[in-house]
Amino acid sequence: CAAGEYQANPGQTACVTCPRGFYCEERAVAPTACPAGTWSNVTGSALGAEGCNECRAGYLCEIGSTVETPCEAGTSSANRSSQCTRCAAGTSQPAEGQPSCALCAEGKYAANRGMQECSPCLARTSSAAGASSCTACSAGFYLATADATATEETCLPCAPFTGKASCGHNTTVETIVLAANYWRLSTRTVDIKVCPEEGGVDDSACLGGGGDD
């Protein structure tokens, strides 16, 4: 048989055209499947494995594939893949046929592999980008005990300190940022005091501070 055809049975007077997803070299007794990670939708292929198309990123091609199959949402693949890989924890992918998964944004998380969407953190809690759990307090709140787990109960509002201090993302009681001209006895207290005015009864050169000196 010529290249592009095959014949499995002896004594035949005609050859069989090589099917899609396969190629046939000269004198083939059976078609050879396109390797995993490639595909072909033509019949009579005589070009060998080089005639099989490379599977694009975001798709999978099992051995002998005639088409590219898009990866499901929650998965992705690189070029020339025969399988799709589930998104890692902390990432997600809502669409089919994608080459990669995206990191969860700050304030969201993906606890498990293969997630299609990242979930928002509970009220008062937050996370860093690419997180698999919410372990920080959101901006405007602080963790009352530095080594505690961030929850709706342990993340307390900074509203009582308005004008005196500020609480950015992932603030703990120890990292509360004091405004100028305010101070506290230590980083373990939220009793924030205004500096005494210079020239008064309590003459002072206080410039404000966090109590960590």
Side-chain angles (χ1 to χ4, degrees), residues 124 137-144 155-173 175-177 190 192:
R124 298 189 177 190
C137 294
S138 57
F141 298 86
Y142 71 96
L143 191 62
C155 290
L156 304 181
C158 288
F161 316 140
T162 300
K164 300 178 181 179
S166 60
C167 301
H169 172 265
N170 197 26
T171 293
T172 69
V173 66
T175 60
I176 293 173
V177 178
V190 292
I192 300 172

Side-chain angles (χ1 to χ4, degrees), residues 5-6 23 52 56 64 76 84 86 89-90 95 101 107 165 175 192:
E5 300 177 325
Y6 75 99
Y23 61 90
C52 300
R56 291 174 295 167
S76 66
C84 300
R86 288 188 295 167
C101 300
T175 60
I192 300 172

Side-chain angles (χ1 to χ4, degrees), residues 34-39 53-65 67-72 75-86:
C34 285
T38 67
W39 65 283
N53 305 303
E54 182 177 277
C55 206
R56 291 174 295 167
Y59 294 79
L60 69 88
C61 299
E62 298 178 337
I63 186 169
S65 290
V67 295
E68 296 175 293
T69 302
C71 291
E72 297 178 348
T75 68
S76 66
S77 71
N79 289 327
R80 208 178 178 87
S81 293
S82 60
Q83 61 183 6
C84 300
T85 303
R86 288 188 295 167

Side-chain angles (χ1 to χ4, degrees), residues 24-184:
C24 297
E25 297 178 340
E26 187 177 3
R27 297 186 179 183
V29 297
T32 302
C34 285
T38 67
W39 65 283
S40 175
N41 64 352
V42 300
T43 58
S45 175
L47 300 176
E50 294 77 14
C52 300
N53 305 303
E54 182 177 277
C55 206
R56 291 174 295 167
Y59 294 79
L60 69 88
C61 299
E62 298 178 337
I63 186 169
S65 290
T66 60
V67 295
E68 296 175 293
T69 302
C71 291
E72 297 178 348
T75 68
S76 66
S77 71
N79 289 327
R80 208 178 178 87
S81 293
S82 60
Q83 61 183 6
C84 300
T85 303
R86 288 188 295 167
C87 294
T91 69
S92 68
Q93 179 49 258
E96 294 183 346
Q98 298 303 307
S100 62
C101 300
L103 292 176
C104 293
E106 181 181 301
K108 294 187 175 183
Y109 72 102
N112 303 310
R113 296 177 62 196
M115 300 298 291
Q116 298 181 22
E117 300 283 353
C118 298
S119 301
C121 294
L122 295 175
R124 298 189 177 190
T125 67
S126 189
S127 66
S132 59
S133 61
C134 300
T135 58
C137 294
S138 57
F141 298 86
Y142 71 96
L143 191 62
T145 304
D147 58 354
T149 300
T151 66
E152 291 181 82
E153 291 73 31
T154 59
C155 290
L156 304 181
C158 288
F161 316 140
T162 300
K164 300 178 181 179
S166 60
C167 301
H169 172 265
N170 197 26
T171 293
T172 69
V173 66
E174 296 178 347
T175 60
I176 293 173
V177 178
L178 300 187
N181 298 318
Y182 287 89
W183 67 284
R184 55 180 174 165

Side-chain angles (χ1 to χ4, degrees), residues 1 7 9-16:
C1 290
Q7 181 50 260
N9 301 311
Q12 301 300 308
T13 59
C15 296
V16 180

